[in-house]
Structures are given as C-alpha cells and as structure tokens.
Amino acid sequence: MISLQNVSKTYKDGDQIVHAVDGVSLEVGAGDFVSVVGHSGSGKTTLLSLMGGLTKPQSGSVTIGGTEIWNLPDNDLSAFRNKNVNFIFQFASLVPTLTCLENVLLPTAFGKSGDGLAEYARSLLEMVGLKDKINSYPSRLSGGQQRRVAIARAFINSPRVVLADEPTGDLDEATESEIMEIFRKKCAEGTTFIIVTHNSSLAAEAKSRYRMSAGRLERAS
C-alpha cells in the first residue's frame, strides 16, 4: 500500500545541515495501523509530510497504491492526494467562517460530489460526538471539540490512508478512547493509519510500532 525507499530530507539551519529524515525505508500494508514515536525534532512530522505528498524528498521514492507520487505533475499529485490521503494535523486548522458541517465538507470542494455528502458529513460529526454542534462555528467550540471536527473531516473523502500528527493531543482520556475506537473500526474497514505521537499508550494500540531519532526510523519493541 505505502512504500518508502531510502527517503531523505534535509534542512539548513544557519550553517548546519539538519537531516530531518535520513534514508528511511518503510513498507505499510492496506489496513495497517502504524505508530511512530520520538522526541520533538526527531523528524516524525516531516516523515508524514513526505509520505503524504506535502513535502518533496531530496532523494528516495514514496509509492502509494502502486503510484510513485513524486513522479506526478503538481495538479495530478493534488488530485491524487485529495482522493487517497487525508491528514489529521497537530492543530485543528478549522476555517473560522465555516460551520462544523461546512468544515467537514471542505475537502469535497476539490473533487468529490454527490447528493449524500451532507448527510454523510452529519453522520461523521455524530460519530465523533458532535451531533448537536453541526451548525456551530469553531469559535463556539472547545479545543477538544475542534479537534474532533478535524477528525471527522479526515474521513469525508473516504481516504485509503489517514496520516495523523498527535491526533488526540488535546483530548481527555475518555474522548481519546472513543476516537481510538473509531480509528480501529475504520482500520478494520481497510483504511491505513499512520500516527505520530508522544503518547506511549496511544502508540501501543498500533499493529506496527516504530521509533524515530535524528531522522532515522527503527522498529520499536
């Protein structure tokens, strides 16, 4: 499903070269649940960005479902990403002038259409416990509620892959448990999850666990 072969990305920090991702190779099957742990600055978020087609590697290849994504022209890459990959970012990043329902529907503006989308978006908001907030604006929500809207939004295009950066970072323990149950259900339906987190109990939920340090990726026990 996802194949990384010797992927590297460096940044310049003053006079120093930082190896954010350093020769990473990884194979992830369809429906796998993968976690990546590591200290801040270890390269976890950069790895997700490379994997999801947001940041181009300086070397190596990223293949999703048989498509080498960095061989695609920009417009084709955007269309491929919108159809196949969705992100749950570290911050909710909701559009403040849109309601919860409109925020969940936002990714469909770039491709997917259909009469049932609004109803599906409502069901996703109900799934994350926000049935009564469908017409609310982000300013009327707590941080945890905004995060749950972002999680609902990640599923609106029925992506094959969900890449999540600290997806339960500002949720209470009970809500985190509910969200993880949603992830497990979606994973059982065939969605591939790759989660980066500092939360060891969250990481332990994954089928395959990795640790990142100084841009290098290795199996975690």
Side-chain angles (χ1 to χ4, degrees):
M1 178 57 185
I2 303 175
S3 177
L4 276 67
Q5 296 296 323
N6 201 31
V7 172
S8 293
K9 179 67 178 181
T10 60
Y11 296 101
K12 195 168 184 181
D13 183 11
D15 294 331
Q16 294 191 345
I17 300 297
V18 177
H19 295 273
V21 174
D22 189 5
V24 168
S25 295
L26 177 66
E27 300 289 335
V28 180
D32 276 357
F33 195 150
V34 175
S35 65
V36 181
V37 299
H39 298 298
S40 295
S42 62
K44 304 186 306 298
T45 297
T46 301
L47 180 66
L48 282 192
S49 185
L50 293 165
M51 199 178 298
L54 296 180
T55 299
K56 188 171 184 178
Q58 273 138 337
S59 62
S61 66
V62 179
T63 302
I64 298 177
T67 298
E68 212 294 89
I69 64 173
W70 291 109
N71 284 342
L72 297 173
D74 288 348
N75 287 343
D76 291 347
L77 174 58
S78 295
F80 180 89
R81 187 172 56 231
N82 187 60
K83 182 178 179 181
N84 293 282
V85 183
N86 222 328
F87 294 83
I88 301 172
F89 295 106
Q90 192 168 0
F91 304 101
S93 302
L94 303 181
V95 179
T97 57
L98 300 181
T99 65
C100 290
L101 181 65
E102 291 166 338
N103 267 286
V104 172
L105 285 167
L106 187 60
T108 68
F110 305 102
K112 192 174 183 179
S113 61
D115 294 337
L117 278 175
E119 190 59 36
Y120 182 49
R122 289 187 183 94
S123 74
L124 290 172
L125 285 166
E126 184 174 358
M127 177 184 74
V128 297
L130 294 176
K131 182 179 180 179
D132 61 337
K133 301 293 184 180
I134 286 173
N135 295 313
S136 298
Y137 289 91
S139 62
R140 307 296 296 178
L141 305 178
S142 68
Q145 288 172 329
Q146 291 185 34
R147 176 61 62 93
R148 284 190 272 170
V149 175
I151 290 169
R153 182 178 59 191
F155 296 115
I156 189 64
N157 278 341
S158 302
R160 300 165 73 186
V161 178
V162 171
L163 304 175
D165 190 353
E166 300 287 356
T168 63
D170 51 6
L171 300 179
D172 59 63
E173 188 173 330
T175 305
E176 178 183 294
S177 179
E178 292 170 6
I179 295 302
M180 288 308 301
E181 183 57 35
I182 291 168
F183 286 1
R184 284 191 290 269
K185 179 181 176 182
K186 291 292 185 180
C187 190
E189 293 171 357
T191 304
T192 301
F193 283 83
I194 300 175
I195 293 177
V196 302
T197 182
H198 289 94
N199 186 327
S200 57
S201 61
L202 178 61
E205 296 273 357
K207 297 175 186 176
S208 301
R209 297 177 292 277
Y210 293 85
R211 181 174 302 278
M212 202 155 191
S213 178
R216 305 303 298 269
L217 190 70
E218 60 183 22
R219 280 273 188 177
S221 56

